[in-house]
Amino acid sequence: MTELKFINIQDLEMIARNCRSLVSLKISDCEILELVNFFRAATTLVEFGGGSFNDQAGEVDRYSAVAFPPRLCRVGLSFMGKNEMSILFPCTSLLKKLDLQYTFLDTEDHCQLIQRCPNLEILEVRNVIGDSGLEIVARNCKKLKRLRVERGEDEQGMEDEQGVVSQRGLIALAQGCPELEYLAVYVSDLTNAALETLGNFCKNLCDFRLVLLDKEDTITDLPLDNGVRALLMGCLKLRRFALYLRPGGLSDTGLGYIGKYSSSIRWMLLGYVGETDAGLLEFSTGCPSLQKLEMRGCCFSERALAQAVLQLSSLRYIWVQGYKSSPRGSDLLRMIRPYWNIEFIPPRRIPAEAGHIEQPAQILAYYSLAGQRADYPDTVVPLFPSSFEHS
């Protein structure tokens, strides 16, 4: 095992002390105190992910014996709380990647830790970081290239009340971290100005993903047409784009802007955008490089979706969940072409404890040289011309 360089296992039982070339270790639930000797021996380790802190109510200095290897610069610790985060302080100035998604830190804890990390290039957190945390990131992490802000478990009351990400945090982030290449974020509020600021400052952005939560009753500034236009016009390196809004979040005009100003985007996810079929058809006259499209919460008709697919000349895959479907998906046959598989999932009612859940219709269509697949679930209706010949 002297040549072992990477190990990624679920249950850590033993790490041989002679693995002097080990640079990356990712584990699951293993008490950090059990790894003290390993950290002393693993002098070449640069990445560590996992571990756990099993005694949150324990003594503050219980983990004082933990010392990370001198080259460690990529870290993700599980179940770490306020009392334990000080074990990272000796290596924070070296950190290039920090994953705090599975910690118990509140907004202020995030601020205290991140302000010590001037060399961060990758940061992964939950939205408990809040606007104040993103402002700390903007002031201290000028080299940041990738930021992922996942949704926390706010429905269970586990998020700090300060943990709200909005236009305030996004504007600070855009102005302070111009090297951003990847941004994925859940926000509780959003304005056109925030999107415009991203377009003005984040010229290296190539992957942008934003979800507008339904947490707030009122959003400050809808529709977001002009902000989306400014973002797309400013971020010319974008190749992947996801925008998941709420009803009213983007008008037909805004959807047309996405088509017009997405000349290089290859993958796109859109949720609750547009108002009518006209917006979808205007969108489909653009996007010349789009290969993969996912749409949810659509207000569009089946006929318009089929026509849009025909106009998107580079499209190789489309998945749509929730739209105005025909009873049998017959309007989808308009987009029949060689090697193009079409799968229709009719709307249905799923039994649940409180009655029934309405499952909306779905479309999956994709190119395949292998032809129609034979392993369809019962819920899927494969569509091809002969399926309607004798109906």
Side-chain angles (χ1 to χ4, degrees), residues 286-337:
C287 300
S289 302
L290 188 62
Q291 297 179 359
K292 184 174 182 179
L293 174 62
E294 301 178 24
M295 305 186 77
R296 303 176 190 173
C298 300
C299 59
F300 313 122
S301 71
E302 193 170 275
R303 183 175 292 264
L305 284 165
Q307 186 175 343
V309 168
L310 291 174
Q311 294 182 163
L312 292 166
S313 57
S314 297
L315 199 66
R316 297 295 179 267
Y317 172 99
I318 183 171
W319 174 65
V320 182
Q321 181 185 53
Y323 69 99
K324 298 176 182 177
S325 66
S326 65
R328 300 175 58 215
S330 55
D331 285 341
L332 297 175
L333 290 177
R334 296 167 59 89
M335 60 178 173
I336 286 288
R337 65 185 79 170

Side-chain angles (χ1 to χ4, degrees), residues 38 65 69 77 83 132 139 141 143 171 191 247 301 308 312 322 333 351:
F38 164 74
L77 298 176
N83 291 339
S132 55
R139 286 199 293 267
C141 306
K143 300 178 182 179
I171 289 173
T191 60
S301 71
L312 292 166
L333 290 177

Side-chain angles (χ1 to χ4, degrees), residues 146-161:
R146 295 177 62 89
L147 174 62
R148 186 175 190 89
V149 183
E150 282 288 348
R151 181 176 187 173
E153 299 182 25
D154 47 4
E155 68 276 4
Q156 297 181 23
M158 294 180 64
E159 294 298 340
D160 188 274
E161 62 182 12

Side-chain angles (χ1 to χ4, degrees), residues 90-199:
C91 64
T92 48
S93 62
L94 300 175
L95 290 183
K96 294 183 179 180
K97 178 182 178 181
L98 182 60
D99 183 350
L100 301 176
Q101 293 182 84
Y102 307 105
T103 65
F104 295 123
L105 303 181
D106 61 20
T107 304
E108 181 58 32
D109 298 333
H110 279 78
C111 294
Q112 290 185 23
L113 183 56
I114 292 171
Q115 69 184 358
R116 299 169 178 262
C117 305
N119 291 305
L120 272 187
E121 297 178 3
I122 302 172
L123 177 61
E124 299 178 356
V125 293
R126 303 191 318 277
N127 55 7
V128 67
I129 191 174
D131 285 334
S132 55
L134 291 185
E135 289 170 342
I136 292 295
V137 172
R139 286 199 293 267
N140 294 275
C141 306
K142 301 299 182 181
K143 300 178 182 179
L144 195 68
K145 294 183 179 180
R146 295 177 62 89
L147 174 62
R148 186 175 190 89
V149 183
E150 282 288 348
R151 181 176 187 173
E153 299 182 25
D154 47 4
E155 68 276 4
Q156 297 181 23
M158 294 180 64
E159 294 298 340
D160 188 274
E161 62 182 12
Q162 302 176 63
V164 172
V165 173
S166 71
Q167 58 271 1
R168 175 186 140 199
L170 288 183
I171 289 173
L173 186 71
Q175 294 174 338
C177 302
E179 299 302 315
L180 269 181
E181 298 174 1
Y182 172 96
L183 175 60
V185 58
Y186 286 79
V187 297
S188 296
D189 198 2
L190 187 61
T191 60
N192 281 282
L195 295 173
E196 290 169 7
T197 306
L198 286 165

Side-chain angles (χ1 to χ4, degrees), residues 134-291:
L134 291 185
E135 289 170 342
I136 292 295
V137 172
R139 286 199 293 267
N140 294 275
C141 306
K142 301 299 182 181
K143 300 178 182 179
L144 195 68
K145 294 183 179 180
R146 295 177 62 89
L147 174 62
R148 186 175 190 89
V149 183
E150 282 288 348
R151 181 176 187 173
E153 299 182 25
D154 47 4
E155 68 276 4
Q156 297 181 23
M158 294 180 64
E159 294 298 340
D160 188 274
E161 62 182 12
Q162 302 176 63
V164 172
V165 173
S166 71
Q167 58 271 1
R168 175 186 140 199
L170 288 183
I171 289 173
L173 186 71
Q175 294 174 338
C177 302
E179 299 302 315
L180 269 181
E181 298 174 1
Y182 172 96
L183 175 60
V185 58
Y186 286 79
V187 297
S188 296
D189 198 2
L190 187 61
T191 60
N192 281 282
L195 295 173
E196 290 169 7
T197 306
L198 286 165
N200 289 334
F201 288 91
C202 297
K203 300 300 184 181
N204 291 321
L205 204 61
C206 56
D207 193 331
F208 175 78
R209 311 178 189 203
L210 182 141
V211 176
L212 179 59
L213 298 171
D214 56 5
K215 195 172 173 182
E216 302 294 333
D217 293 333
T218 303
I219 301 300
T220 302
D221 187 18
L222 295 181
L224 297 165
D225 299 351
N226 292 332
V228 169
R229 176 177 60 180
L231 172 72
L232 294 172
M233 291 180 67
C235 301
L236 298 179
K237 295 182 180 180
L238 273 177
R239 299 296 181 269
R240 298 173 69 84
F241 179 72
L243 190 67
Y244 199 103
L245 301 176
R246 291 160 51 158
L250 201 70
S251 73
D252 281 348
T253 299
L255 188 53
Y257 288 156
I258 294 179
K260 184 176 181 179
Y261 298 109
S262 298
S263 59
S264 299
I265 293 178
R266 298 176 182 177
W267 172 87
M268 194 177 292
L269 185 153
L270 301 174
Y272 294 97
V273 298
E275 302 164 296
T276 67
D277 286 350
L280 175 65
L281 295 176
E282 179 65 23
F283 160 83
S284 66
T285 62
C287 300
S289 302
L290 188 62
Q291 297 179 359

